[in-house]
Amino acid sequence: MKLLITGGCGFIGSHVVRQALAIGHDVTNLDKLTYAGNPANLSGVNTSKYRFVQGDIADAGVVDPLVAEADAVINLAAETHVDRSIDSADAFLRTNVIGVHVLCEVIKASGRAVRLLQVSTDEVYGSIDSGAFSEGDRFSPSSPYSAAKAGGELMAFSYHTTHGLDVVSTRGANTYGPNQFPEKLIPFAVTELLEGRKIPMYGDGTQVRDWLHVNDHARAILCVLENGKPGEAYNVPGENERQNIEVIREILKMMGLDESRIEKVKDRPGHDRRYAVDGAKLHDLGYGPVETLAKGLVETVAWYQKYESWWRPLKEASKDFFARHYGKLGRT
Ligand code: NAD
């Protein structure tokens, strides 16, 4: 297939681009290169089947000629950091909602049968104390990030219902692995320790997340692209539930450090206690996660230890955000 992948210079997008090329697809990667977009994530990708275009998914003039050549669009372009959405949500609405609307409008106007795979998140359901959400459960997002993701997904499905567009979505769990911007829990913790600082931990650290390796997440997206039924959403669990503090303790152990390197800070406002999604529907399409957190975390910590030249400039460029954000939460 000729794929238009948006947000391909980001964390998950870069792994989707690599996997899509490996199984023979042609890929055009449309990425705005925000602070989170990093062409280095695709270093070594050098094939006539790959093309990079810098641009905004919310700009119809940019999207239109790319959709005209595509068989399918995988939309990963998004503002993705919950903490930044609490600071200011404008960019989240523009990309995560308006951007999806523009993609839908352009696909509709093309009059061609172009599948749209909207990459959504398990965070659209909000928090659950026990059990797991199924795809039919109601959305109850807690943060401006997850509310904007919910809005974008609902917009995409409205174009399926109203205009007959071929739309599918994935609702992936907390994803980790190489190339993740060092503001998210695992890479932030590892790189703070490597820089000789403490890990700021929200509240008591008992929030539960289900960890999904980026290789599994990318495989799930490509599986739904090929096998998903029009108009359907698919949960993508990681099947590795842990409290944040358990993950932090594991990282400390791997790096030969003790718990004196944890600094408790005020909890994030609206912080969801637990995310969990049921993956039975995706399982029926032939997908199951293969990575365990035990193995994936060791490899991920080793990757950040090895590729300091990758993460250090990114942290440097965001140091004002980190200082302001964690300063407000009482980091000393
Ligand atoms: P990321 O922040 O690492 O990358 C986002 C990418 O999108 C960057 O390359 C950025 O430059 C690009 N981008 C942002 N705005 C754009 C715009 N207007 N036009 C074109 N490109 C733009 O994000 P990620 O963690 O790789 O997440 C990718 C997708 O997966 C997102 O839609 C996110 O909501 C979803 N998701 C992420 C997780 C997770 O744990 N990381 C879990 C479930 C779902």
Side-chain angles (χ1 to χ4, degrees):
M1 277 197 270
K2 286 188 170 35
L3 299 181
L4 173 59
I5 298 181
T6 67
C9 292
F11 166 45
I12 302 168
S14 61
H15 289 263
V16 174
V17 167
R18 286 181 191 276
Q19 285 193 20
L21 289 169
I23 57 177
H25 295 302
D26 282 4
V27 173
T28 297
N29 169 17
L30 171 64
D31 196 300
K32 187 177 173 182
L33 296 183
T34 66
Y35 77 96
N38 186 352
N41 289 343
L42 288 167
S43 65
V45 172
N46 185 16
T47 152
S48 57
K49 290 169 91 56
Y50 173 73
R51 171 173 58 142
F52 173 64
V53 177
Q54 182 171 2
D56 187 341
I57 61 162
D59 182 343
V62 171
V63 174
D64 187 73
L66 304 179
V67 164
E69 301 173 344
D71 299 316
V73 179
I74 303 178
N75 181 34
L76 295 118
E79 290 293 333
T80 62
H81 193 36
V82 173
D83 290 335
R84 291 185 194 253
S85 80
I86 294 169
D87 228 24
S88 166
D90 293 6
F92 289 75
L93 286 169
R94 180 171 162 78
T95 294
N96 303 5
V97 183
I98 308 285
V100 179
H101 177 236
V102 169
L103 292 175
C104 291
E105 270 297 307
V106 170
I107 293 171
K108 173 167 87 79
S110 77
R112 299 174 55 247
V114 177
R115 165 161 278 199
L116 172 63
L117 190 160
Q118 171 62 16
V119 176
S120 187
T121 164
D122 65 351
E123 297 189 31
V124 294
Y125 297 114
S127 196
I128 187 166
D129 291 337
S130 60
F133 287 115
S134 297
E135 286 82 354
D137 287 330
R138 70 186 274 267
F139 284 7
S140 186
S142 303
S143 71
Y145 159 69
S146 51
K149 289 297 293 183
E153 190 184 345
L154 291 171
M155 179 62 71
F157 280 125
S158 80
Y159 271 69
H160 169 73
T161 307
T162 304
H163 299 294
L165 255 59
D166 177 2
V167 176
V168 286
S169 79
T170 53
R171 298 180 188 148
N174 262 58
T175 306
Y176 74 100
N179 306 98
Q180 185 167 33
F181 195 89
E183 64 189 355
K184 308 281 168 56
L185 177 64
I186 291 175
F188 188 66
V190 176
T191 57
E192 286 295 280
L193 294 173
L194 289 172
E195 291 189 281
R197 288 194 286 270
K198 294 185 179 183
I199 303 174
M201 184 179 74
Y202 288 127
D204 60 5
T206 56
Q207 308 86 356
V208 175
R209 300 293 180 260
D210 176 25
W211 293 96
L212 172 64
H213 193 279
V214 67
N215 288 342
D216 282 336
H217 197 160
R219 271 194 316 110
I221 288 168
L222 292 169
C223 172
V224 170
L225 179 74
E226 293 213 359
N227 306 309
K229 294 196 185 66
E232 296 291 324
Y234 295 87
N235 291 335
V236 191
E239 298 178 12
N240 286 286
E241 269 195 42
R242 297 282 191 289
Q243 290 186 343
N244 285 347
I245 189 158
E246 294 178 296
V247 172
I248 288 171
R249 284 192 182 122
E250 274 302 306
I251 292 170
L252 286 168
K253 204 162 84 190
M254 283 171 202
M255 296 177 69
L257 299 167
D258 64 33
E259 291 192 26
S260 65
R261 299 291 291 274
I262 299 175
E263 180 179 13
K264 286 188 183 168
V265 296
K266 218 166 106 200
D267 206 355
R268 170 193 274 168
H271 207 172
D272 286 322
R273 295 299 303 167
R274 177 172 173 266
Y275 296 128
V277 289
D278 184 311
K281 190 172 167 186
L282 181 57
H283 195 263
D284 288 346
L285 294 189
Y287 164 88
V290 296
E291 304 276 357
T292 62
L293 185 63
K295 175 169 161 281
L297 194 56
V298 172
E299 289 167 2
T300 302
V301 170
W303 191 87
Y304 284 91
Q305 285 172 320
K306 182 167 176 195
Y307 292 105
E308 187 176 331
S309 59
W310 179 90
W311 58 260
R312 196 172 278 284
L314 304 180
K315 283 199 90 173
E316 184 58 27
S318 283
K319 71 174 193 289
D320 291 348
F321 167 74
F322 294 132
R324 190 174 72 248
H325 176 71
Y326 288 105
K328 271 196 284 195
L329 301 177
R331 188 182 201 189
T332 48

